[in-house]
Amino acid sequence: MVQVLSTLLLVEKKSKQPVYLQIANQLMALIRNGTLQTGYRLLSTRQLATLLQVHRRTVVQAYDELLAQGWLESHTGNGTFVAKHLPEIEFSQKHHGTEKTLVPAEKAGFSFNQLPHLDRAILRSNTRLHLDDGFPDPRLAPLEDLSRAYRSQLLGGNPYSRLGYGDTKGSSWLRQELSAYLNETRGMKTLPENILIVRGVIMGLYLVSTALLQPGDNVVVDALGWFGASMNISQAGANLVRVPVDEHGIDVAALEQICQKQTIRMIYVTSHHHYPTTVALRADRRLNLLKLAEQYRFIIFEDDYDCDFHYLSKPLMPLAGADPAGMVMYCGSFTKTISPAFRVGYLVGPADVITYLAKLRRIIDRQGDQMLENAIAELLHTGVIQRHLRKSVRIYKQRRDLFCDLLRSELGEYVKFQVPDGGMAVWTQFNPDINLIKLAEKALQQDLYMSNGTSGIPKGNGFVEPLNSSIRLGFASSNADELKESVEIIRNLLGNLQAN
């Protein structure tokens, strides 16, 4: 066995891992795979040190590590042995003449169900150019102000309270500032007790779906809507009921007919700028939706993902601001305000529901980033975010106008669209004969990301693939030169595709 150990134990003195850990880990592996059986007597520390040409104290450290973990046991005056209490495990088996070895890092040894509604690719773009889903331009974000505020929160005040556990509802300062901000800008009537700080809209919807829905509940979503909503609702075991959408938003008359036939527990709606089409829910439909919610006692989950970015003088106010019966759960975030990397959002609703959801949040994510939340509260308090929004709205409106002009002048024979009143993307309908999948692939080869027109969600389980040729083309994250170059690439690619 001495000769065997000389080949099985290899020490790399230039490795970043300490030598004693190398020895300990290799001995542990030999015990795991059965090479060193339970009860086997190891070499003395002096013998193994000589064999491996290391200092004896190094081997002593390795043995001590394995003794502490229970892999070895020591008998005074008799030596060190592989622990006898270890179970005998077959780590490999012969199968038709070949050795079959388990690789736990790649495949679990236990079975589990992979739910199809979770099977969707993560949207990421590392290209130089991007006509994305409607993301902000991080180059405009007030990062220096945020950095100073974060540093101030990190280093100032009582470290025990600042750096310890906080309220599961989120930073009290941020909830106070948000309450004032939402009341002023959204016409809402909130108190800090009505606000739960979350990581983003996706977390707010998960909490509401998990806590307030039961398996078998019916939840209304729009016929062509956000995949994140459908995934959360399906995860809660609820049934998806789809309602049509037209140029004025969801068809509330169709919703009423649905309510007359079956019990509805909740409706998910993007009232300000419908996702993905960007249209706003018309005023009369808003009022009728609130009346239906009160009449049929269903929850309205209002996702106001980019309310701040409206380019008309008098934008419509959220449903939550005109909710007399406490039926609306309102959710927004700073994703579009600053950048998706900063995960701070807010869920607004009746105080009793917010208190209950905070209890659920506690077992999912004890609390958010309290330093970041306080830093954002400081930026709201000092008006930095408000000034940043005014500047961003001006810039994004200019980019919207330029992009729509480019779509008309350069791609007019290939696309149709309506100029959006707000938001960060244009819902663009391509000619039916254009293969958007091939177009997106060719664009990617030229360092331009754009949607290929598929939802990426499997059919079945209530999910549907869009059967049209429309996609969202985001303009906000690109400057004027980038928008011009992107449209030029698409124009040239469409010309080549039509020629072929």
Side-chain angles (χ1 to χ4, degrees), residues 185-186 271-272 280-283 286 304 307 310 314-318:
T185 63
R186 310 287 201 272
S271 60
H272 202 70
L281 185 61
R282 200 169 60 189
R286 290 168 178 261
D304 212 1
C307 176
H310 198 79
K314 294 182 179 180
L316 294 169
M317 292 293 102

Side-chain angles (χ1 to χ4, degrees), residues 397-423:
K397 182 179 183 299
Q398 293 170 358
R399 293 179 180 181
R400 179 206 64 172
D401 294 343
L402 171 62
F403 186 57
C404 289
D405 288 343
L406 290 170
L407 289 178
R408 290 193 196 92
S409 61
E410 303 299 321
L411 302 179
E413 61 184 299
Y414 302 109
V415 303
K416 296 178 182 179
F417 65 94
Q418 293 292 327
V419 178
D421 293 336

Side-chain angles (χ1 to χ4, degrees), residues 20 23 45-46 49 54-64:
Y20 85 93
I23 298 172
T45 55
R46 191 179 304 279
V54 298
H55 198 284
R56 179 170 173 264
R57 284 199 299 268
T58 302
V59 179
V60 170
Q61 275 187 288
Y63 279 17
D64 286 344

Side-chain angles (χ1 to χ4, degrees), residues 469-485:
S469 55
S470 298
I471 58 175
R472 283 169 65 92
L473 294 178
F475 56 82
S477 61
S478 303
N479 61 31
D481 291 337
E482 291 163 346
L483 290 172
K484 292 175 183 177
E485 185 177 355

Side-chain angles (χ1 to χ4, degrees), residues 120-125 132-133 135 227 275 449:
R120 189 181 194 278
I122 301 297
L123 181 59
R124 288 180 294 187
S125 172
D132 49 45
D133 197 53
F135 301 151
F227 70 91
Y275 184 95
Y449 168 81

